[in-house]
């Protein structure tokens, strides 16, 4: 485990609608990966891409997904193409993750989403390491 362990201990103590409630953290992590090659939805059929593993965690959890935290390592800084395109890749990746979470949020009253009015409402925290 890494930084998410403390996040899980501290976050329920913060002043939010989840204060005092148990939370769980579903972790999908593979060291030495690059955002574009290994995590992007558009490359999900490529070798060593983990998009489907991430989707399995989003869909398979008991309870509800209330947000998403992305801890990014340094491997995208090694090659010029990755560095130059990182913001575009991260923007698309977050949009795809938000859409996946939104599509798998429990429904209430027909098609009204219980937690999010649109994919853009899904909270995302990006931690650059």
């Amino acid at each position: 485990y890494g930084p998410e362990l403390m996040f899980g201990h501290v976050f329920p103590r913060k002043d939010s609608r989840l204060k005092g409630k148990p939370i769980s953290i579903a972790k999908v992590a593979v060291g030495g990966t690059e955002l574009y090659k290994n995590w992007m939805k558009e490359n999900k059929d490529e070798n060593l891409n983990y998009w489907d593993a991430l989707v399995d965690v989003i869909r398979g959890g008991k309870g509800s997904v209330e947000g998403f935290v992305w801890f990014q390592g340094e491997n995208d800084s090694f090659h010029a193409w990755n560095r130059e395109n990182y913001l575009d890749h991260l923007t698309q990746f977050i949009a795809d993750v938000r859409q996946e979470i939104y599509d798998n949020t429990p429904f209430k009253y027909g098609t009204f989403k219980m937690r999010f009015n649109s994919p853009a409402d899904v909270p995302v925290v990006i931690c650059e390491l």
Side-chain angles (χ1 to χ4, degrees):
Y1 288 94
E4 72 281 353
L5 188 60
M6 284 308 296
F7 184 88
H9 286 290
V10 173
F11 191 77
R13 296 180 186 139
K14 297 293 182 187
D15 190 20
S16 77
R17 64 187 172 94
L18 298 176
K19 185 174 184 170
K21 295 182 180 179
I23 65 167
S24 64
I25 295 181
K27 182 176 183 174
V28 179
V30 181
T33 59
E34 299 170 359
L35 177 60
Y36 181 77
K37 176 182 175 184
N38 303 113
W39 295 100
M40 296 290 289
K41 180 179 181 178
E42 69 185 70
N43 294 327
K44 69 179 188 160
D45 295 326
E46 298 296 322
N47 191 32
L48 299 177
N49 181 280
Y50 304 103
W51 175 260
D52 287 335
L54 179 60
V55 169
D56 288 346
V57 168
I58 291 170
R59 293 180 182 173
K62 294 185 180 181
S64 63
V65 176
E66 298 288 339
F68 178 77
V69 178
W70 176 252
F71 289 98
Q72 177 64 32
E74 63 185 89
N75 283 346
D76 283 299
S77 68
F78 296 148
H79 303 290
W81 186 85
N82 284 340
R83 284 191 308 270
E84 293 163 5
N85 293 286
Y86 183 76
L87 181 58
D88 290 338
H89 295 157
L90 182 62
T91 301
Q92 184 60 54
F93 176 72
I94 295 302
D96 290 342
V97 167
R98 281 181 161 152
Q99 187 67 53
E100 193 65 43
I101 291 171
Y102 179 76
D103 288 347
N104 288 284
T105 298
F107 288 92
K108 179 179 180 182
Y109 306 121
T111 59
F112 176 72
K113 293 287 183 179
M114 236 166 81
R115 289 171 177 69
F116 312 116
N117 293 321
S118 75
D121 292 337
V122 176
V124 172
V125 175
I126 302 168
C127 301
E128 296 292 332
L129 300 178

